[in-house]
Amino acid sequence: IEGLEELLICGCNKIKEIPIIEGLKKLHINNFYDGEYEDCLNCEHHYYFTNECESCICYRNQIVSIPIIKGLKKLIIRNYKNITEIPLIEGLEELFLFKCNITHLPVINGLKKLTIQNSNIYELPIIENLEELCIESCEELIEIPHLPGLQYLSISCCCSLEILQNINSLKKLIIDNNNYIKEIPEFESLQELIIYNLDNEEGITKIPNIIGLKKLSIGDSSIITEIPHIIGLEELRLDRTNYINKIPSIEGLKKLYIYKSPKIKEIPNIVGLKILMINDSLSITDIPIIIGLEELNLIRTQNITKIPFIDGLEKLYISNPSDIKEIPVINSLKKLIIRSHINNKRYNIIDNYTKSDNNLYCNICYEYDNLYKCNNCEFYIHINCIYKALIDKEEKKCIHCMRQFSELK
């Protein structure tokens, strides 16, 4: 097909070979054989499909190889276990592999973004121009080589990976459910660090004092006990941190988010803090008078009984205010929201999310593009993760704020 630039092969069990199409820019092959949470393209199962969905499920892997297509920029392979190798495609910029029996990769010099999930890869080549690397559930991978141009690194559920290289160019690091990494190097250029789901006593127990770090997020951790005084830190998120009992007074901190952290009893008076959110933290009883604070969010904080007079406050959000009897007169206040109960009205999912910018990350998969923000809370989510953000199939509740949603149309 002359002029074809994008080809998607989705659950087509009779296709055995991919032709060489000159000018093709994007190739996506997806073999739905084991039931994934995806958008079905051929039927009305918008969220979930199973092997009973005969119109879109491929029962056998027919495609066994990928041809060398000159000019191909993006290659996505999902659920093709018969494909065992990737050819050397010059000019390829993005490669995504999911549930493939590929154990190694060629050196593709122009590759900029590499994502590998649930695969048998045990070795990564040194690709000098690689900027983004995401690896998830790659149990055979034991080492990440020194990648001189890497800026974004996400590691999740890689049980054989224990040591991280000190990559000077790295700007964002995500470690999720990877208990065998024992130490985080002091990266020279790191600006954002996200650590989630650590419960192994032999894993990371200490956050290094990384000069230049702007954003720090720690969640679901039972072994990290202390936050260092990081000069220049602008955003701090603590999400279900069971043993952190103190927040340092970091000058220059602009955003502070605390969620279900029972040991934290006091909020420091941080000069320059702009946004403060406290969610489900019953141990906190007082809010200090923070000069310069512009936004205050209190969600299910039943033990906070008084709102202080904060001159300059522009937005005040209070949810389930059990014992708050009075709100002070603040002339600068522009937006006041008070919710005393959860609204049971049913909503359309997309209508309750607002398109977000690219400076944040999905609270589920940590991707940072195509993000939406729940209009009811600070929950950011990738468009493909909306179904995962729902706790219950029947009630369709946002996993963070428990707001009810209807089926996605």
Side-chain angles (χ1 to χ4, degrees), residues 144-150 153 165-170 187-189:
I144 295 176
H146 181 74
L147 303 168
L150 195 66
L153 174 60
Q165 300 274 359
N166 192 340
I167 303 172
N168 293 332
S169 59
L170 195 64
F187 298 100
E188 292 182 1
S189 303

Side-chain angles (χ1 to χ4, degrees), residues 200-294:
N200 189 329
E201 293 182 357
E202 297 180 355
I204 298 170
T205 58
K206 184 179 180 181
I207 303 295
N209 195 335
I210 302 175
I211 298 174
L213 190 68
K214 301 296 183 184
K215 297 181 180 180
L216 174 61
S217 300
I218 304 174
D220 291 295
S221 173
S222 60
I223 57 176
I224 296 176
T225 60
E226 185 179 358
I227 301 295
H229 192 283
I230 303 175
I231 298 174
L233 189 69
E234 297 180 355
E235 182 176 323
L236 176 61
R237 292 175 179 263
L238 302 178
D239 187 350
R240 293 182 292 270
T241 52
N242 297 327
Y243 290 96
I244 293 176
N245 56 24
K246 185 180 180 181
I247 299 173
S249 182
I250 302 174
E251 294 183 4
L253 191 69
K254 292 179 170 54
K255 299 178 182 179
L256 176 60
Y257 303 90
I258 303 171
Y259 176 64
K260 283 190 176 180
S261 297
K263 297 289 185 179
I264 297 175
K265 298 180 180 180
E266 184 179 355
I267 303 295
N269 195 332
I270 302 173
V271 178
L273 189 67
K274 300 297 182 183
I275 299 175
L276 173 61
M277 168 175 280
I278 304 174
N279 193 340
D280 279 317
S281 295
L282 300 180
S283 57
I284 298 174
T285 58
D286 294 305
I287 302 295
I289 300 175
I290 302 174
I291 298 174
L293 189 68
E294 297 177 354

Side-chain angles (χ1 to χ4, degrees), residues 43-274:
C43 71
E44 297 181 355
H45 293 76
H46 293 289
Y47 292 123
Y48 182 69
F49 55 84
T50 65
N51 288 342
E52 297 176 358
C53 183
E54 296 181 358
S55 63
C56 62
I57 297 298
C58 176
Y59 292 92
R60 294 174 295 172
N61 290 317
Q62 297 287 355
I63 298 174
V64 297
S65 63
I66 302 296
I68 298 177
I69 302 175
K70 292 182 179 180
L72 189 68
K73 299 297 183 183
K74 187 173 183 178
L75 175 59
I76 301 173
I77 305 174
R78 296 175 61 92
N79 295 321
Y80 275 91
K81 294 189 175 181
N82 283 357
I83 296 178
T84 58
E85 61 180 16
I86 299 295
L88 179 57
I89 303 175
E90 295 183 2
L92 188 67
E93 296 179 354
E94 186 172 344
L95 177 60
F96 181 97
L97 303 174
F98 177 79
K99 287 191 177 180
C100 300
N101 282 335
I102 295 171
T103 58
H104 62 280
L105 295 174
V107 179
I108 306 174
N109 290 325
L111 195 65
K112 295 181 179 179
K113 184 175 181 179
L114 175 61
T115 302
I116 308 173
Q117 297 177 350
N118 297 83
S119 298
N120 296 328
I121 193 159
Y122 65 85
E123 184 180 12
L124 293 175
I126 297 177
I127 304 174
E128 293 186 356
N129 295 323
L130 192 66
E131 297 177 356
E132 299 182 20
L133 175 61
C134 303
I135 52 174
E136 178 181 345
S137 299
C138 298
E139 298 181 356
E140 304 298 324
L141 186 66
I142 60 174
E143 184 183 11
I144 295 176
H146 181 74
L147 303 168
L150 195 66
Q151 298 181 19
Y152 175 96
L153 174 60
S154 175
I155 306 169
S156 177
C157 301
C158 298
C159 60
S160 298
L161 186 62
E162 297 183 0
I163 300 175
L164 290 180
Q165 300 274 359
N166 192 340
I167 303 172
N168 293 332
S169 59
L170 195 64
K171 294 182 179 180
K172 183 173 181 178
L173 173 62
I174 300 171
I175 301 175
D176 182 17
N177 199 13
N178 222 87
N179 293 314
Y180 293 95
I181 296 177
K182 296 178 174 60
E183 186 178 357
I184 298 176
E186 294 186 8
F187 298 100
E188 292 182 1
S189 303
L190 195 66
Q191 297 179 3
E192 184 171 359
L193 175 60
I194 301 171
I195 301 175
Y196 268 77
N197 298 307
L198 298 181
D199 55 10
N200 189 329
E201 293 182 357
E202 297 180 355
I204 298 170
T205 58
K206 184 179 180 181
I207 303 295
N209 195 335
I210 302 175
I211 298 174
L213 190 68
K214 301 296 183 184
K215 297 181 180 180
L216 174 61
S217 300
I218 304 174
D220 291 295
S221 173
S222 60
I223 57 176
I224 296 176
T225 60
E226 185 179 358
I227 301 295
H229 192 283
I230 303 175
I231 298 174
L233 189 69
E234 297 180 355
E235 182 176 323
L236 176 61
R237 292 175 179 263
L238 302 178
D239 187 350
R240 293 182 292 270
T241 52
N242 297 327
Y243 290 96
I244 293 176
N245 56 24
K246 185 180 180 181
I247 299 173
S249 182
I250 302 174
E251 294 183 4
L253 191 69
K254 292 179 170 54
K255 299 178 182 179
L256 176 60
Y257 303 90
I258 303 171
Y259 176 64
K260 283 190 176 180
S261 297
K263 297 289 185 179
I264 297 175
K265 298 180 180 180
E266 184 179 355
I267 303 295
N269 195 332
I270 302 173
V271 178
L273 189 67
K274 300 297 182 183

